[in-house]
Amino acid sequence: MSMALAKTELVTSGSVTIELAKIEHLNAFKSYVDECVDDGIILYEFILSHYERYLSKRIAYAKGEQLPRGWTPIRTYFCIEDGVILGSIRVRQGCGDYIENVIGHIGYETRPSARGKGVARLMLSHIQKAVLTDDVIISCDPTNIASRKVIESCEARFLNEYYYAAEEQQVRRYQLSPGA
């Protein structure tokens, strides 16, 4: 499954914007990471005190630069309200077995204090309508009911659920189509 991305990088909905990550987000990103780590989101645990280096890498990844071996370009977008990052969503370009069958083309999380307010749905809907030009795979842990509801609310088509032995985890896969 190939994937092309549209050029849209910013959406505004009231006082909320969704924008491509940039170094000007550094202070807001520090606060976001700290809250996520305090809540147990392991994705960010290793970057404490290396915020700028991590954010700079994410910006480079969007350009296809500094990618670890085997990685495809990844665009990171932030959902921001009044200078506070409410959520982050990553869109992986290209294909590969790991993307297609485990992590999917899209990954996201919501700042713990912003959960239950529609942030994840807003981000995924934006990506679906303004960024995607082809069908993509999106996956989640089957026990993450909130994420399942977000994915299903964007009319993603359930594909399958299986056990990924290499990481000892269950994976629930969906196909998400571009939206109108």
Side-chain angles (χ1 to χ4, degrees):
M1 177 177 295
S2 67
M3 186 178 81
L5 299 176
K7 298 289 184 195
T8 303
E9 297 178 357
L10 173 70
V11 67
T12 303
S13 175
S15 63
V16 176
T17 61
I18 298 176
E19 36 188 291
L20 197 57
K22 53 190 175 188
I23 202 66
E24 290 80 9
H25 295 131
L26 182 58
N27 287 333
F29 182 66
K30 288 177 183 178
S31 172
Y32 177 75
V33 166
D34 290 348
E35 186 173 328
C36 288
V37 170
D38 286 348
D39 193 61
I41 298 176
I42 60 172
L43 171 68
Y44 296 114
E45 284 181 344
F46 71 95
I47 67 166
L48 292 177
S49 77
H50 301 287
Y51 306 95
E52 185 172 0
R53 184 170 44 197
Y54 181 86
L55 184 56
S56 294
K57 279 185 183 181
R58 286 291 168 179
I59 293 165
Y61 292 173
K63 300 172 190 171
E65 301 169 356
Q66 300 178 30
L67 293 166
R69 176 177 274 202
W71 284 34
T72 62
I74 306 165
R75 287 187 181 172
T76 299
Y77 297 84
F78 294 134
C79 180
I80 301 171
E81 181 176 43
D82 299 325
V84 175
I85 296 175
L86 303 178
S88 175
I89 188 164
R90 292 160 302 285
V91 181
R92 299 171 188 94
Q93 300 173 53
C95 297
D97 185 59
Y98 192 65
I99 290 174
E100 293 283 327
N101 295 305
V102 183
I103 60 172
H105 291 97
I106 299 173
Y108 60 85
E109 72 279 335
T110 301
R111 182 184 199 106
S113 61
R115 290 184 186 145
K117 298 177 182 175
V119 172
R121 170 76 169 87
L122 176 68
M123 291 189 302
L124 187 57
S125 178
H126 166 69
I127 295 300
Q128 183 181 29
K129 292 175 184 170
V131 176
L132 298 183
T133 59
D134 297 308
D135 292 348
V136 297
I137 300 298
I138 185 167
S139 64
C140 67
D141 180 317
T143 63
N144 186 338
I145 303 303
S147 192
R148 285 175 57 173
K149 286 181 178 180
V150 167
I151 294 167
E152 292 167 2
S153 75
C154 289
E155 299 181 12
R157 183 174 62 87
F158 173 74
L159 296 174
N160 63 350
E161 189 172 309
Y162 71 98
Y163 182 72
Y164 181 62
E167 293 185 9
E168 300 179 351
Q169 67 179 14
Q170 282 292 123
V171 177
R172 185 172 178 93
R173 295 174 63 244
Y174 295 86
Q175 180 178 324
L176 182 67
S177 298

